[in-house]
Amino acid sequence: MHMVRPFYTLILDCQKITQQQRHPVCELEASIREHIHLILKTHTEEYRYDDAYGCTIWDQDFLNIHSVNKWRTSLEKMILQALTQYEQRLSHLDIRLDLDTSGQEDPALAKKNARLKRRITITVSGKTKETNRPFLHTEHIFFSPLSIA
């Protein structure tokens, strides 16, 4: 019988730790999902102990795009590279990126001018190495208005 070990949840609750209380834990799949979210939301060079940690996807924000398909493929490769390097509990990784062409209104700017951001849906699939079970995770991010040159 396989023993499932707990993983610490993100974000670390320093108050509990300093009060010598147990930090909340979660199962493997939840831990992987939280870590994928952290990798995708972290800009490279943001983490002081490893400049490469994070995802270079944010370097693509506000670019003029010549081909949406090439841009999408490039982003998929960037995400795959980041997850392969930093989330090693998964194997057989596959990244699918879907672009919502209708856009979403940015609530912070809605009253000033109707600036539209594009919603990108990132689907990560693979297998957990420890249990060999299928893994599926969907993440949404909002990107700058896309300019197709």
Side-chain angles (χ1 to χ4, degrees):
M1 186 162 140
H2 189 268
M3 188 80 169
V4 177
R5 65 176 189 259
F7 295 87
Y8 291 112
T9 61
L10 294 178
I11 298 176
L12 292 177
D13 187 342
C14 295
Q15 184 175 3
K16 283 191 176 197
I17 294 170
T18 58
Q19 294 175 354
Q20 297 181 347
Q21 295 176 3
R22 187 172 167 91
H23 189 278
V25 295
C26 60
E27 293 184 7
L28 175 65
E29 288 81 7
S31 175
I32 293 172
R33 281 184 178 81
E34 287 183 348
H35 192 220
I36 289 172
H37 179 79
L38 183 64
I39 292 168
L40 292 176
K41 296 294 182 169
T42 303
H43 298 248
T44 53
E45 300 180 4
E46 187 175 11
Y47 179 55
R48 73 163 53 169
Y49 301 104
D50 184 351
D51 283 344
Y53 183 86
C55 191
T56 56
I57 189 173
W58 298 106
D59 296 340
Q60 305 299 306
D61 207 1
F62 293 103
L63 286 183
N64 288 330
I65 299 168
H66 298 286
S67 167
V68 173
N69 287 333
K70 285 182 184 178
W71 180 77
R72 179 185 297 121
T73 301
S74 174
L75 290 183
E76 288 172 348
K77 287 179 183 177
M78 288 176 194
I79 294 167
L80 180 62
Q81 179 183 3
L83 295 184
T84 300
Q85 183 173 358
Y86 291 105
E87 184 45 83
Q88 297 180 358
R89 297 174 291 180
L90 291 175
S91 65
H92 302 89
L93 276 173
D94 184 47
I95 309 299
R96 294 285 176 236
L97 196 127
D98 292 309
L99 176 64
D100 178 2
T101 56
S102 65
Q104 296 293 326
E105 202 171 291
D106 185 349
L109 301 172
K111 291 182 181 178
K112 293 181 182 178
N113 57 4
R115 181 174 175 187
L116 297 178
K117 288 198 171 200
R118 302 292 181 190
R119 184 174 88 165
I120 298 173
T121 302
I122 302 165
T123 304
V124 178
S125 61
K127 286 190 175 197
T128 57
K129 288 181 181 178
E130 189 173 316
T131 62
N132 203 31
R133 289 194 314 212
F135 177 85
L136 184 64
H137 175 69
T138 302
E139 187 85 28
H140 301 285
I141 60 173
F142 289 91
F143 240 59
S144 63
L146 300 179
S147 298
I148 300 175

